């Protein structure tokens, strides 16, 4: 059986201003792509916040999300059950862009006294990207895909679109890794364009 790789993105609630007493971010949208061999499955849903149930104006504007959308979403409990199902399908690797998704998921589980749904390997693709390209600073998701000369999928800060964009960057990075790790050495003919040289000499 092929391992399951899950590309996941969450969107979180946010306070109206800084220093909101007792506030913590809650998952309000999930998007994921589960890849197992040639098989792919998508899942996307809004998630109802448990504690701070009313979204701030800042949150709604930033994420272009409405109170009605999250009110119709699934519960955190249902989300954890769904994620646990993917985890139970086989050895599981979870890929995110940045470390906030797993941090907030763990915090939300702890506060709600729910079991953390994943047990496998975690990959912060933004750090892999940073190490691979030698960047000093972490690069944003959509800036990274643009640096590859590509476009992101859908809209930024839409959970499923960001998960799909993470998957596309993962494929590009893995392809570059394989290219750089090729064991066969190149000949001088592979490195020099002799047709261009002949044209130059013929002038």
């Amino acid at each position: 059986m092929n391992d399951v790789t899950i590309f996941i993105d969450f969107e979180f609630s946010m306070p109206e201003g800084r220093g909101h007493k007792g506030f913590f971010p809650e998952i309000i949208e999930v998007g994921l792509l589960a890849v197992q061999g040639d098989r792919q499955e998508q899942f996307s849903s809004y998630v109802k916040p448990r504690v701070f149930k009313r979204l701030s104006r800042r949150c709604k504007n930033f994420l272009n999300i409405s109170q009605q959308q999250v009110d119709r979403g699934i519960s955190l409990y249902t989300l954890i059950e769904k994620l646990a199902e993917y985890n139970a399908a086989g050895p599981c690797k979870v890929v995110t862009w940045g470390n906030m998704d797993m941090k907030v998921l763990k915090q939300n589980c702890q506060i709600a006294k729910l079991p953390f749904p994943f047990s496998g390997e975690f990959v912060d693709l933004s750090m892999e990207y940073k190490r691979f390209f030698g960047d000093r600073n972490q690069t944003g998701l959509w800036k990274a895909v643009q640096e590859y000369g590509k476009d992101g999928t859908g809209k930024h800060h839409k959970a499923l679109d960001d998960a799909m964009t993470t998957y596309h960057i993962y494929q590009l990075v893995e392809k570059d890794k394989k290219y750089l790790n090729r064991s066969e050495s190149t000949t001088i003919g592979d490195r020099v364009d002799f047709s261009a040289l002949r044209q130059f000499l013929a002038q």
Side-chain angles (χ1 to χ4, degrees), residues 20-40:
H20 190 288
K21 188 175 180 181
F23 181 86
F24 63 91
E26 295 180 83
I27 296 168
I28 56 175
E29 187 182 3
V30 55
L32 71 80
L33 174 69
V35 180
Q36 189 174 29
D38 295 331
R39 182 170 170 265
Q40 296 186 4

Side-chain angles (χ1 to χ4, degrees), residues 32-165:
L32 71 80
L33 174 69
V35 180
Q36 189 174 29
D38 295 331
R39 182 170 170 265
Q40 296 186 4
E41 181 180 334
Q42 297 179 8
F43 175 71
S44 174
S45 179
Y46 292 106
V47 182
K48 288 181 284 191
R50 290 178 59 256
V51 180
F52 301 96
K53 297 184 179 182
R54 301 300 299 176
L55 299 182
S56 67
R57 183 173 54 184
R58 173 175 167 237
C59 178
K60 289 185 284 190
N61 290 340
F62 184 77
L63 297 179
N64 193 24
I65 195 172
S66 71
Q67 186 68 48
Q68 291 75 23
Q69 285 172 312
V70 297
D71 286 346
R72 292 194 297 265
I74 62 176
S75 67
L76 178 64
Y77 177 81
T78 301
L79 170 64
I80 300 306
E81 276 192 328
K82 183 71 175 177
L83 299 181
E85 287 175 12
Y86 286 107
N87 187 68
C92 182
K93 177 163 71 174
V94 178
V95 181
T96 59
W97 189 268
N99 61 9
M100 279 302 295
D101 297 276
M102 290 302 105
K103 278 186 176 180
V104 173
L105 178 60
K106 286 178 181 177
Q107 184 187 43
N108 282 194
C109 286
Q110 288 170 352
I111 292 172
K113 295 182 169 53
L114 294 172
F116 187 70
F118 296 123
S119 59
E121 177 188 358
F122 296 100
V123 175
D124 177 354
L125 189 58
S126 72
M127 291 303 294
E128 289 224 345
Y129 184 93
K130 178 182 176 183
R131 285 191 295 266
F132 186 69
F133 288 101
D135 291 347
R136 288 188 177 183
N137 301 315
Q138 272 184 274
T139 304
L141 174 61
W142 283 48
K143 183 184 176 188
V145 80
Q146 287 165 0
E147 285 176 352
Y148 261 113
K150 308 287 185 180
D151 292 323
T153 300
K155 295 181 179 179
H156 195 15
H157 296 305
K158 268 318 263 182
L160 182 58
D161 292 344
D162 283 355
M164 294 295 294
T165 300

